Amino acid sequence: MGQSRAMSSASAAPTESWPWPPAMRASAALHVAAIGAGALVPGAMPWAIGAIVLNHALITGAGLTPRSNLLGPNVTRLPEAAGARGQVAITIDDGPDPEVTPRVLDLLDAHGQRATFFCIAERVLAHPALAREIVARGHSIQNHTARHRHNFSFLGPRGFASEIARAQDILAETTGQRPTCFRAPAGLRNPFLEPVLHRLGLSLVSWTRRGFDTREGDPARVMARLGRNLQARDILLLHDGNAARTPEGTPVLLEVLPLLLERLRAGGLRAVTLPEGLEP
């Protein structure tokens, strides 16, 4: 469901109403039943309150689990067709960074591979030429919010809409391409996010595995996490912005990426952009 939406027209938001996920429908039904039981059944109020509290805990836990799909569609792997094509997706977050991103682009070019950059829109405003170069070299830029707010997962519908729609406009105006995919800061969210994404024609994309390269400065450890059971359809997460540094002071992505690209070549895999990989 999320995969098909990523390939929908970027020029207009969907007009159909938001299809409530089964877990959210069940949550709404539980609230109605609990309130009804608490009001009508003697002695049931403590149980009703307990059920609602547990339900809220489950929803909160889903929002704190980046790869969960309980709150709505969430792309964690490319579709089966991408597997048949031997494709993976390298996604690179939190840029563009004027020190790191140009060197990443050179490495990708040298290996003939493509990547998707989930960019922070205000950083694109600060480095518009670099953003345009990412697209000109055949890569994809997707939506990673306007400011990468640390309290993003606590926002309501208006806050989500403001952050995401503003980023959409900035990225489209700067690069000439309107994003079709969205990734939340740290992957954290709440139930109000999915209706906003649906209205804006965006698919939530998380990842298959990540290297934790914003806090791990050892390239071997980062590569070990990314390479464990690496296979077609995987979506891999790395960072050009906020990258950890090796003991020598090098952004760890620049040490890991050549290892990863060589691993893909040896395994007969090809890194493609998300819009290409999500094609049926």
Side-chain angles (χ1 to χ4, degrees):
M1 185 174 183
Q3 295 164 350
S4 62
R5 191 194 311 160
M7 301 313 300
S8 65
S9 171
S11 61
T15 57
E16 69 271 15
S17 61
W18 176 54
W20 279 52
M24 298 308 299
R25 290 199 298 268
S27 176
L30 183 146
H31 277 70
V32 172
I35 292 170
L40 300 175
V41 179
M45 184 60 73
W47 294 97
I49 293 173
I52 291 174
V53 169
L54 286 174
N55 177 256
H56 280 244
L58 176 64
I59 292 173
T60 300
L64 296 174
T65 306
R67 301 180 71 247
S68 169
N69 60 8
L70 286 178
L71 303 184
N74 186 7
V75 180
T76 61
R77 300 194 73 198
L78 299 178
E80 294 286 351
R85 298 189 294 260
Q87 295 174 340
V88 301
I90 297 173
T91 62
I92 302 175
D93 286 15
D94 294 358
D97 181 280
E99 175 193 358
V100 180
T101 308
R103 298 166 69 183
V104 170
L105 295 175
D106 289 343
L107 287 169
L108 290 166
D109 279 355
H111 288 79
Q113 304 280 22
R114 297 290 176 262
T116 298
F117 292 78
F118 278 94
C119 289
I120 300 170
E122 289 193 349
R123 292 192 178 183
V124 166
L125 278 179
H127 308 287
L130 181 52
R132 286 190 284 269
E133 183 178 359
I134 290 172
V135 173
R137 293 213 199 180
H139 308 290
S140 174
I141 286 182
Q142 299 295 333
N143 191 324
H144 198 38
T145 75
R147 291 175 288 172
H148 204 274
R149 295 173 55 165
H150 294 299
N151 66 341
F152 180 82
S153 62
F154 296 102
L155 298 179
R158 289 187 179 181
F160 282 144
S162 175
E163 271 287 302
I164 299 168
R166 179 167 174 256
Q168 282 288 92
D169 291 342
I170 291 171
L171 297 177
E173 290 169 7
T174 303
T175 68
Q177 296 182 2
R178 197 164 191 85
T180 55
C181 300
F182 173 79
R183 178 172 287 157
L188 307 181
R189 62 203 190 280
N190 67 45
F192 297 114
L193 175 62
E194 173 55 28
V196 173
L197 297 182
H198 180 80
R199 187 166 67 251
L200 293 173
L202 288 164
S203 290
L204 180 68
V205 177
S206 56
W207 52 83
T208 309
R209 59 179 56 80
R210 61 186 304 182
F212 292 97
D213 56 321
T214 57
R215 67 190 195 205
E216 175 61 70
D218 183 344
R221 289 179 180 271
V222 175
M223 183 60 208
R225 294 187 181 108
L226 294 172
R228 187 176 299 116
N229 300 320
L230 180 63
Q231 57 189 300
R233 300 180 59 205
D234 283 355
I235 300 173
L236 308 175
L237 170 58
L238 287 160
H239 294 79
D240 55 350
N242 304 312
R245 301 271 172 163
T246 68
E248 295 74 30
T250 304
V252 71
L253 170 62
L254 299 178
E255 298 285 343
V256 172
L257 190 56
L259 302 175
L260 176 60
L261 295 173
E262 178 56 31
R263 175 73 176 273
L264 295 179
R265 186 201 64 77
L269 299 173
R270 184 165 62 96
V272 299
T273 66
L274 276 173
E276 182 179 354
L278 291 172
E279 290 179 354

